[in-house]
Amino acid sequence: MNTDTLQTFLLLAELKNYTHTANQLFVAQSTVSNRIQELEAELGKPLFVRSRKQLRLTEQGERFLAYARRILELTQSAAEELNSMSHYRFSLRIGSTNTIYDCHLSRRLVDYSLSHPETRLNIVIGHSHALIQMLQDHTLDMAFSYVPYAKKGIECSLFATDELLLVTAPQNREYGQGILRRELTGIPYLYCDFPFQEVGSYIRDLFPAGHAFPLEIDRSANLLPFLCGGKGYSFLPASIVRDSIDRGMLLPIPLLDFSIPPVSCYLLTCGVAGSDSLLAALREG
């Protein structure tokens, strides 16, 4: 089982077409077929259901998909680690969700990288559960997650707590003195599906089922241009919007008869050489 075969399997599972897979890999279609047949023979299980009209993964293929990704990630991580040893004193692999990175890490990591040229940083942005799996597979040295997780060999500690603020552009002053919970359904609320434990569900439940939002987006920081342009209202972490509020680009709206729970994020670590100085810099920043 080699990396070329696994990459072929993953691409075919995504494209579900031998010709397109061969074209993207710059190989003959017969090469793709041979690699898949060899992999199925090695595993002793069929990975695809083939018919004249469609190609789909078998149940065994679906299960093997996650393992194939993890094997490739481990292989790549090992190669990068070995190659970096001759160029850098330390190599640190850091995982974070989008929002934690935007709120707490980006500026601090830039500062750390500039002041520690002897350390190589490998930064992965992903979802909490995927990052935890990578930490367990030892393809990450530390992860910043909204999911607290502690297991033998992994330490979990509270990293930061953030307040969610309802904000809008300064010209939207109708609720400048505050807003009631029942009034939320009457405003143009821009929705972001926060991965914040129960907080995401709490915000969604403020609106009736099937509520039509004028805008939905999957990354909170991407709401800023819409909000600053006057599009509507949204709850965002204070650490993202504080600068815009201080500069007069956004206006915080007081909540009169309800509150939003704070958001906690966690640092998950595996002890690794060179990480102490980074952790100290991140916490101090």
Side-chain angles (χ1 to χ4, degrees):
M1 190 181 303
N2 58 49
T3 56
D4 287 341
T5 299
L6 291 175
Q7 288 171 344
T8 301
F9 165 72
L10 290 175
L11 188 58
L12 183 59
E14 177 185 352
L15 300 179
K16 296 180 174 59
N17 185 288
Y18 278 88
T19 301
H20 294 165
T21 299
N23 290 339
Q24 287 207 22
L25 293 174
F26 300 101
V27 298
Q29 184 172 325
S30 59
T31 301
V32 174
S33 298
N34 290 336
R35 288 176 181 175
I36 298 303
Q37 289 172 8
E38 291 170 1
L39 183 58
E40 289 179 324
E42 184 175 353
L43 294 172
K45 299 292 181 181
L47 300 175
F48 292 94
V49 176
R50 303 162 178 84
S51 69
R52 295 180 62 183
K53 293 185 177 181
Q54 66 174 354
L55 180 74
R56 61 181 177 83
L57 287 168
T58 63
E59 182 180 352
Q60 295 91 339
E62 291 282 1
R63 292 194 176 189
F64 181 66
L65 195 62
Y67 288 100
R69 291 195 183 105
R70 289 166 62 186
I71 291 170
L72 283 176
E73 288 169 354
L74 284 168
T75 302
Q76 181 179 356
S77 178
E80 291 175 350
E81 184 75 14
L82 293 175
N83 288 331
S84 70
M85 290 175 66
S86 59
H87 299 286
Y88 300 94
R89 184 180 178 189
F90 301 113
S91 180
L92 296 175
R93 301 160 299 178
I94 305 162
S96 176
T97 68
N98 271 314
T99 303
I100 296 175
Y101 184 83
D102 293 335
C103 289
H104 304 290
L105 298 181
S106 58
R107 176 183 56 80
R108 303 178 194 185
L109 286 174
V110 169
D111 292 343
Y112 180 85
S113 182
L114 292 173
S115 61
H116 292 75
E118 77 284 0
T119 301
R120 174 182 178 270
L121 298 181
N122 183 357
I123 301 170
V124 176
I125 306 298
H127 296 292
S128 289
H129 292 289
L131 297 174
I132 290 172
Q133 183 62 64
M134 294 177 71
L135 198 65
Q136 290 178 302
D137 290 338
H138 303 289
T139 57
L140 289 178
D141 300 313
M142 64 185 70
F144 295 85
S145 164
Y146 286 113
V147 178
Y149 182 85
K151 191 177 180 180
K152 185 177 181 180
I154 297 177
E155 295 184 5
C156 176
S157 59
L158 180 66
F159 180 69
T161 300
D162 220 338
E163 178 186 8
L164 290 181
L165 301 177
L166 181 64
V167 294
T168 189
Q171 60 263 36
N172 300 328
R173 292 191 170 275
E174 181 179 358
Y175 299 100
Q177 300 303 311
I179 192 169
L180 299 171
R181 175 170 176 163
R182 59 179 173 78
E183 294 174 318
L184 286 175
T185 56
I187 64 174
Y189 185 84
L190 312 185
Y191 182 71
C192 180
D193 190 11
F194 293 115
F196 295 159
Q197 307 106 25
E198 72 281 358
V199 181
S201 298
Y202 182 91
I203 292 176
R204 185 64 185 83
D205 290 343
L206 294 173
F207 300 88
H211 184 79
F213 299 100
L215 174 72
E216 297 189 37
I217 201 163
D218 64 355
R219 184 177 177 185
S220 54
N222 290 342
L223 284 173
L224 285 176
F226 294 95
L227 291 165
C228 292
K231 176 71 175 178
Y233 300 72
S234 192
F235 285 106
L236 285 179
S239 50
I240 286 183
V241 300
R242 186 67 67 193
D243 182 61
S244 296
I245 292 174
D246 292 342
R247 293 162 59 190
M249 299 172 64
L250 287 176
L251 175 72
I253 303 299
L255 309 181
L256 298 179
D257 64 345
F258 69 107
S259 61
I260 302 295
V263 176
S264 296
C265 62
Y266 301 89
L267 169 60
L268 314 178
T269 58
C270 294
V272 61
S275 64
D276 290 346
S277 62
L278 172 59
L279 293 177
L282 293 177
R283 291 189 182 281
E284 291 173 2

